Structure formats: structure tokens, C-alpha cells
Amino acid sequence: MRSVMMAVGLIVFAQVCVCAGDLVLDVRHDLMRTGVYEANATADGAADDSTAIQAAIDHALEAGGGMVLLPAGTYRVADVALGPGVTLAGVGRDETILRAWDTSPMLIMAGGTVRDLSVYGTPVEDVSGDGWQITTKSGSGGTAKSSHLITVKDAIDPHIENVRVAESRYDCLYVRGSRGLRVSNSEFDRAGRNIVSMVGNDEDFVFTNCRFGSIWRLYHVDIEPNEDRWVRNGAFVGCEFDGTNAGEGGSDAWGRMLILTGHDELESREITITGCTFREISVRVRGIFPGVNVLHNPVLDGYGPFFIKVRTNPVGELRDATVVGNRFVDGDGPAERMRHGVTFTGDSVFAGNEPASFNEIEMDAPATTDEAAENKVADE
């Protein structure tokens, strides 16, 4: 709220001003007056506002950075590209609404910041919310238009702050090629494929105080780089992974998983999960994934055992894992099993967990080269 008041205050005192070296553009009032674009954004929920917003972003980029302010209203957009040094700011999740114009990704981030707004893959309110219908696994049908709502691609230090992202035809958040991604106080839900996908090459990322909601068509959160790609050095801090509504409205009831996919090259590694709540969501391990830290999570309620390997993956190995200070539950009571098919190898550590029996895990033999190679083919 404080950031919203500051942004609005800037506009009250000057339609276009320079504050701390940053340009501020109000897309509903400044574009025509300053010659940035031939028309202001309408925010009427009917017209395509993509070109007007893009013109403001491009102007800010050329000026060396700044804020593009989206006052209250509904903006129809497609293929809006955001670069380093530019902030695309709304005035609140319930006030500034972006809706899909066509089947393209809505926001494409190579950097910059998106904050204080909502992004919906449905075109109008009538087919949103209770009127939203999920797509099939092939991506057809349903009421969503946009394929990926926010795409982070080849990005340096992109930030997503206080944003609601929902009702995608495929993925709510799709990340490929990022360094320094920071996502905070945001919510992702209702996906025609995955709530979040990280497909490589991604490193140094942090999700803080985010909620990953419970309706999707394929998987919940999927970290799945294929050959020659990796995801590493990332963290989920104080987040909620919610699978309690899985299966409703034609959604998937099986893919209740945060998937960690590794290969025998061991380049996908070092993921930390701390202070998080898992509600009917398990961690699925595919291949060999070193350096996973599961630390001081108050509720880890898997859909069955918390760490799982499914039968289609010959290997599910956590190497040099640290599992400390967690509370493993099954509904209202303590969990009976921590893992199904997952092996722990190397210098893995278990301590301070509830139930206490989960601190007495014996190390397994690491996967052989042949097993790892077989798993790699299966993953691809």
C-alpha cells in the first residue's frame, strides 16, 4: 500500500516527472500529451492496450529506466515486453487488472519489475473466476486465451512483487534463461498445464511468501530442464504449496508435485525449501539432484510420502541432502512414511525432524552411470 500511495502521489504533483533519476509515465494520461504515443491506454477491458503500454515501456528504456504506471482499470494485452530498469506498476491486485488479448504470452520479462497488479489469461470477467473452465492437457478448450501469462526469458534480475497470476491456457509463470529472479508476495493459480515451470537455464532465484494454488491440469510446480540445461542455486522461502482443491472442475488430481529433475551431469543442484507449508503436495525426484536443503518447514503434508519417485523414472536420488527441523504430517496426524522410492546418498543429513524416526535414515548406494543415463533418456 505504501508503494501505491507513493506512486499515485508522484502523478498528482506532476504528470511526467523525474524523481531520483527515474521517469514516471501514467499510461492513461501522459502518452498523448507528451508525444510518447498517439493514444493513451483505455483500460476499458475491451480495447487492445498492448501498443500503448509497450510505447511507454520503450520510452522508459530509452530514458535509462523508470516507472510505467497502470492506474485502476482493466487492460487487454499481449506480448508486452519488459526490459531492465523499468517497473510496470499497478495500484493494487484488485484495482489494476491485465487480461488476455489473444493466445500470445501476456508479459515477457527480460528484466525489470512487475508489481501491484493481477494478470488473468481469460479475456473478460464473465469467463473468469467461477466462470473459468480449464483446458485439456493438449491446451485446447477452456476459457483462457493466453498460453503463458508471465514469461521470464533470457532475463537478468527480473522482479515480480505483489502480483496475482491466474487462469492460464498453459502455465501461469514460465521461466527459461534467468539469473537473479526474485518473486515475492505473489499468488499463482488455475493453470491449463503447470502453475509454474522452470525449464532452464536458471540460477540464483528466490520465491518469498508466495502461494502456489491448487488447480492445474498437468503438474503443480515443475523444475524440469532437459538436456544441456539446468536449474540451480534457488530457494523457496515462506511459501505455500496448496493441493487441497486438486481435481475440482476437471483439473488434475495426480500431479500434486514440486518436481525436481536432475541428470547425471549434476548441473541441476542446490535448491533450498525453508519455512514453507505443503498441503497435499509431494516433492517428486527425477534423476540425481544434489544439494537439496529442506529446512525448518512447519507443515510438510505430501500426497502420500513427502519424497517420491514414480515408476516411469528409474532413478530418484537426492545426493548430499540436508533435511533438518521439519514437521512431516498426514492430515491432522504425523506422517508414517517420509519417502517412496527416493534414495538418499552421499553426505545427507537428517536431524530435528518430526516424527523422530525420520532422523534415522540410512544412506543408499548412489545410482550407477547406466541407471543415470537410462533416467536421462526417460526425462527427455
Side-chain angles (χ1 to χ4, degrees), residues 190-261:
R190 297 193 172 195
R193 187 170 64 177
N194 303 330
I195 300 290
V196 174
S197 291
M198 302 190 72
V199 302
N201 293 329
D202 303 293
E203 62 182 333
D204 182 23
F205 65 89
V206 182
F207 289 81
T208 306
N209 296 328
C210 293
R211 177 181 178 273
F212 307 101
S214 59
I215 296 181
W216 63 89
R217 194 67 179 87
L218 187 58
Y219 296 126
H220 188 68
V221 175
D222 193 10
I223 296 178
E224 189 176 356
N226 287 320
E227 187 176 12
D228 299 324
R229 297 201 296 271
W230 35 260
V231 176
R232 63 194 181 203
N233 301 326
F236 297 92
V237 182
C239 295
E240 180 182 6
F241 298 79
D242 182 11
T244 55
N245 295 322
E248 293 183 2
S251 62
D252 186 65
W254 180 78
R256 305 177 194 232
M257 308 166 179
L258 164 59
I259 301 177
L260 300 179
T261 300

Side-chain angles (χ1 to χ4, degrees), residues 23 25 27 31 36-37 49-70 77 79-89 106-108 111-114:
L23 180 71
L25 283 172
V27 299
L31 305 189
V36 170
Y37 188 62
D49 284 323
S50 306
T51 308
I53 295 172
Q54 190 65 62
I57 292 171
D58 293 345
H59 184 80
L61 280 169
E62 292 173 3
M67 176 188 293
V68 174
L69 180 67
L70 306 181
V77 300
D79 286 321
V80 171
L82 190 67
V86 178
T87 295
L88 185 65
M106 294 176 66
L107 298 179
I108 304 170
T113 298
V114 175

Side-chain angles (χ1 to χ4, degrees), residues 123-185:
V124 294
E125 189 173 357
D126 288 348
V127 295
S128 182
D130 291 340
W132 178 72
Q133 296 179 10
I134 200 165
T135 62
T136 66
K137 285 187 178 180
S138 64
S140 62
T143 59
K145 291 179 69 72
S146 178
S147 55
H148 301 102
L149 307 190
I150 298 180
T151 294
V152 177
K153 185 176 181 181
D154 301 327
I156 303 297
D157 296 330
H159 287 213
I160 300 171
E161 303 169 357
N162 189 33
V163 173
R164 179 186 296 123
V165 188
E167 302 176 356
S168 65
R169 188 160 59 92
Y170 289 131
D171 302 344
C172 293
L173 177 62
Y174 183 85
V175 183
R176 179 173 179 177
S178 69
R179 188 176 70 209
L181 172 66
R182 298 292 184 268
V183 186
S184 61
N185 303 311

